[in-house]
Amino acid sequence: MSISSETLAATLAETRALALAVRRHVIDMAWRSKGPHVGTALSCTDYLAVLYGAVLRLDPWTERDIFILSKGHGAMSLYGTLAAKGIIDAALLEGYCQDRGSLPGHLDRFTAPGIEVSAGSLGHGFNVGLGLAHAFKLQGCDRKVYVVIGDGELQEGSIWEGLLFAAKLGLDNFTVLLDRNDLQGYGRPSELCSIEPVAEKIAAFGWDVAEVDGHNHGAIIKAVTAPRRGLPRFIVGRTVKGKGVSFMEDQLVWHYFVVTDEHRRQALEELR
């Protein structure tokens, strides 16, 4: 996809504004719920802002491209994005992770539009996306599938089976974005069960691979929209857990810590 510098500048302004709005939603949801995973949600926010702000075909809705957040514990990022884009009512966010509330801590596809897959058991969303991409190919339609996975999630064997199969099928309508923040529930993947050299491994499985700064919107757009060679695309995005809030960045504790009144005040001050 080739676009003018003026169009790109306008697009980047839109995606950056969207990312900021989503991060503010995430902080508020985490604060109201007193639940975990705020760092996880902030880590992948830029991916979602780019996809929903510049890449996904959403109209008509019945022919939309499909987005799946396979790392379902990052649900707040998807809820915030859907609200910021007007796909769901922002009032639903107030019921996030509440007793008799509206939105669960892990994704449930029956709760709201735009939640395509119930996720939380890691490794599943990737292969659901693969199946959908294959189905679209068989139907002869031009719908595309995009999936965000975590680097801890990439330790799941089911994903490696799918990596082999997607390349075999030549699914050039299937894009996977890796949230490579090097922090999972109990430490750093690079120390617990390393996936490196991840780009070389995925390429050896027959994928078209790109490595980017996972918070650089221009780089993400370029990697996602580059011409295809008849292969599925895998984007390795180097990201930072808790991105956007200085005291949360690259801190394992924000996989679990709750957002207090003071945390919220500090975070929203930085996200003005």
Side-chain angles (χ1 to χ4, degrees), residues 63-134:
E63 299 175 20
R64 68 190 179 280
D65 291 335
I66 298 295
F67 172 75
I68 295 172
L69 183 63
S70 190
K71 44 173 278 184
H73 56 301
M76 287 184 286
S77 62
L78 180 54
Y79 297 149
T81 304
L82 294 174
K85 290 294 292 182
I87 296 171
I88 65 172
D89 188 337
L92 286 177
L93 304 184
E94 297 180 9
Y96 167 75
C97 217
Q98 304 285 337
D99 288 342
R100 296 178 295 278
S102 52
L103 298 169
H106 287 74
L107 297 169
D108 181 335
R109 73 182 186 91
F110 296 107
T111 53
I115 302 169
E116 310 287 1
V117 170
S118 299
S121 183
L122 296 175
H124 291 184
F126 174 98
N127 285 297
V128 173
L130 187 161
L132 287 169
H134 185 37

Side-chain angles (χ1 to χ4, degrees), residues 100-168:
R100 296 178 295 278
S102 52
L103 298 169
H106 287 74
L107 297 169
D108 181 335
R109 73 182 186 91
F110 296 107
T111 53
I115 302 169
E116 310 287 1
V117 170
S118 299
S121 183
L122 296 175
H124 291 184
F126 174 98
N127 285 297
V128 173
L130 187 161
L132 287 169
H134 185 37
F136 293 153
K137 281 287 188 182
L138 293 176
Q139 293 166 2
C141 69
D142 62 354
R143 296 174 70 183
K144 298 178 176 62
V145 180
Y146 301 83
V147 178
V148 167
I149 65 173
D151 49 0
E153 182 180 16
L154 190 52
Q155 296 162 356
E156 296 284 352
S158 58
I159 289 186
W160 293 92
E161 294 176 18
L163 286 166
L164 284 171
F165 198 42
K168 166 68 175 178

Side-chain angles (χ1 to χ4, degrees), residues 170 172 203 206-209 226-233:
D172 59 358
W207 285 61
D208 185 353
V209 179
R228 300 295 173 114
R229 299 181 293 120
L231 303 172
R233 175 156 296 156

